[in-house]
Amino acid sequence: QVQLVESGGGLVQAGGSLRLSCAASGRTFSSYAMGWFRQAPGKEREFVAVISWNGLPYYADSVKGRFTISRDNIKNTVILQMNSLKPEDTAVYYCAASPRAFIPTLRSDFGSWGQGTQVTVSS
């Protein structure tokens, strides 16, 4: 079980960049895969990116080549660097943790969630 707090969201123009951070606490952080999901108004929460406990990343097709996920197990943080942002990236972004050994991409794979941080991309 881990506790997660996101930060770094805000308002940015299309083509700009934002860096989201997720601070984690708990005894088992280093054994968890860490992921990012996002949810726009009226839409389902969707997978964005995940990084395994040993540093292997995987991305949704919609963000591949633009977003980068990384983690620092010493500082207990996970980062989502977002470049070339588009208006359709506008959503609340959630950090999540999964104890699964394989790379999880489904919402049901993740048992711990942060409260979310708002990202708004203007056209």
Side-chain angles (χ1 to χ4, degrees):
Q1 185 178 0
V2 297
Q3 293 75 48
L4 308 171
V5 180
E6 304 95 335
S7 63
L11 175 65
V12 66
Q13 292 182 332
S17 298
L18 282 174
R19 184 177 184 267
L20 304 184
S21 296
C22 176
S25 61
R27 293 176 292 178
T28 60
F29 172 80
S30 296
S31 299
Y32 278 62
M34 299 296 299
W36 289 93
F37 286 70
R38 65 188 183 187
Q39 188 167 22
K43 298 182 179 180
E44 292 187 43
R45 191 171 299 186
E46 66 175 357
F47 168 77
V48 175
V50 65
I51 185 166
S52 70
W53 67 272
N54 58 340
L56 299 178
Y58 182 77
Y59 302 94
D61 288 342
S62 59
V63 306
K64 192 174 298 181
R66 299 189 298 120
F67 292 9
T68 302
I69 188 170
S70 61
R71 69 187 297 161
D72 185 334
N73 288 351
I74 301 301
K75 298 180 179 179
N76 286 354
T77 59
V78 59
I79 303 297
L80 186 68
Q81 178 66 48
M82 305 186 295
N83 299 324
S84 301
L85 283 162
K86 305 174 182 179
E88 52 263 43
D89 294 319
T90 296
V92 176
Y93 283 70
Y94 297 89
C95 180
S98 173
R100 298 186 180 275
F102 62 90
I103 298 178
T105 60
L106 302 177
R107 184 177 179 179
S108 59
D109 292 329
F110 293 81
S112 299
W113 295 83
Q115 291 298 113
T117 185
Q118 177 70 49
V119 172
T120 302
V121 184
S122 62
S123 59

